[in-house]
Amino acid sequence: MAGCANGGEVWYVPGWLKTSEPEADDETWTSFTKTFPGSRPRFHAWDGNGLWTTSRDNADTAAVALAERIAAMGESRTNITLVGHSLGGRMVVRTLARLHEKGLKIRQGILLAPAIPNNDPDVAKMGMGSTLPVLSVCNPEDVTLRFVYRLAGGESAAALGAGGALTASTNVVEQIVPAKIMKEAEVEAVWGRLDVARQIANHHVLFYFATVRRMFDGSLPEDDRILIPQGKLNLELKVSDREIWWDVLASEKGWKLERNIVTRHCRILDPSKRRVAWGRECDMRQAFEKILSATP
């Protein structure tokens, strides 16, 4: 488990449409300071209140500037923790990668539902820009990352914050958001009192802050789900598995990796014969190995 980031300066890098300085009583800001009570909180504003694609590109540009800013801080950078949500998490990934390229580190990076492709080269570098393990908090049920992100974002692969990275990264710990958090997290807004709204709006940072707080105080509820790295946009449906149109490439612990004999794309079936992921063979082979490593 990643070490606790409390202490020092903790910078919050917000996600899309939430990038302006918050009011003092803002619910998100209050939850952030509650999550890191022993730290000096700072808000890192950036230009992310426009169209998604424009904001995404702005996040990539802003990450370069943030890395330069931190690099110029001298040894005080080693006392900084960057916490980023959604596109803010994307910024933190890229900032850590740029710092690593300079041979520098901050204290820790914490990613909450990072909206960046799971096969992005910076994902493999980010852990080396952090002294403590980078904590990547992911939710396979996050509606925004599973569906809206792929349909509207024009990205090359599934979001890191939904199914985790395709392969394990150095100095990175992935944590799944337990299903119970959706009901147990404290949300003061009216929508937060409605179960249906919570399920639709489960990309909200409040659920991710709740997960981090539970991690830090040791009260995170157990969850028997595992992170399944994704390829193409997938609906988890039970499928026919008579192996007429499919070659079995691997089968272990009840899981199967299969390749279609016509299209050559691959799919992963869980022990109940649900298609949990599909896509290119290289991606699905990596995902299959990661699934097996996390399966008892």
Side-chain angles (χ1 to χ4, degrees):
M1 180 176 290
C4 177
N6 279 329
E9 287 191 357
V10 181
W11 298 13
Y12 176 52
V13 187
W16 185 42
L17 302 180
K18 302 289 185 180
T19 58
S20 301
E21 288 283 350
E23 300 291 335
D25 59 349
D26 178 82
E27 186 176 27
T28 296
W29 183 246
T30 299
S31 184
F32 169 66
T33 57
K34 181 179 178 181
T35 303
F36 302 95
S39 307
R40 297 187 297 279
R42 296 183 62 177
F43 186 91
H44 183 75
W46 61 281
D47 185 10
N49 290 335
L51 296 174
W52 167 264
T53 51
T54 302
S55 297
R56 178 199 62 197
D57 294 343
N58 287 349
D60 291 342
T61 300
V64 176
L66 180 58
E68 293 291 343
R69 176 183 174 186
I70 293 174
M73 294 178 64
E75 288 304 308
S76 63
R77 79 177 73 88
T78 61
N79 206 30
I80 291 174
T81 294
L82 292 180
V83 181
H85 172 246
S86 193
L87 281 182
R90 181 190 187 100
M91 281 182 59
V92 173
V93 170
R94 299 215 187 283
T95 299
L96 291 171
R98 300 293 81 75
L99 289 172
H100 164 63
E101 292 169 355
K102 298 174 182 292
L104 304 175
K105 296 179 185 287
I106 60 170
R107 184 183 186 191
Q108 188 171 32
I110 298 179
L111 316 175
L112 311 176
I116 188 170
N118 61 8
N119 64 357
D120 191 287
D122 284 347
V123 172
K125 300 177 184 178
M126 63 182 180
M128 295 175 282
S130 174
T131 301
L132 291 174
V134 171
L135 173 59
S136 182
V137 184
C138 309
N139 183 4
E141 304 303 324
D142 188 315
V143 174
T144 298
L145 291 185
R146 285 189 65 189
F147 302 110
V148 179
Y149 168 85
R150 293 302 303 275
L151 294 172
E155 297 283 23
S156 62
L160 176 66
L166 282 173
T167 58
S169 300
T170 301
N171 199 38
V172 175
V173 174
E174 291 182 334
Q175 173 63 52
I176 192 170
V177 175
K180 289 184 178 180
I181 292 293
M182 294 299 105
K183 293 185 177 181
E184 295 177 355
E186 297 176 4
V187 181
E188 295 179 4
V190 173
W191 66 265
R193 304 187 186 102
L194 305 174
D195 287 344
V196 173
R198 279 174 173 248
Q199 292 171 10
I200 295 174
N202 62 3
H203 183 63
H204 201 290
V205 70
L206 295 179
F207 300 120
Y208 289 89
F209 282 147
T211 300
V212 173
R213 285 198 295 273
R214 300 289 183 86
M215 284 188 67
F216 287 170
D217 66 19
S219 65
L220 192 68
E222 293 185 4
D223 197 302
D224 59 2
R225 296 178 300 170
I226 63 172
L227 283 173
I228 300 176
Q230 298 293 299
K232 302 292 186 179
L233 184 62
N234 180 57
L235 295 176
E236 292 191 7
L237 302 174
K238 198 162 187 176
V239 301
S240 172
D241 188 31
R242 292 179 290 175
E243 300 175 4
I244 297 175
W245 297 102
W246 299 87
D247 290 329
V248 179
L249 302 181
S251 180
E252 190 173 339
K253 300 180 181 178
W255 296 77
K256 284 186 178 181
L257 173 63
E258 299 180 334
R259 182 176 58 206
N260 189 279
I261 63 175
V262 177
T263 66
R264 312 303 287 176
H265 78 272
C266 291
R267 68 183 185 182
I268 297 175
L269 305 184
D270 71 6
S272 65
K273 297 185 178 180
R274 288 182 309 145
R275 185 188 69 182
V276 296
W278 72 282
R280 300 184 306 166
E281 181 175 340
C282 59
D283 292 343
M284 291 301 96
R285 283 189 179 276
Q286 291 177 317
F288 191 72
E289 291 300 318
K290 191 173 180 185
I291 290 168
L292 293 182
S293 69
T295 303

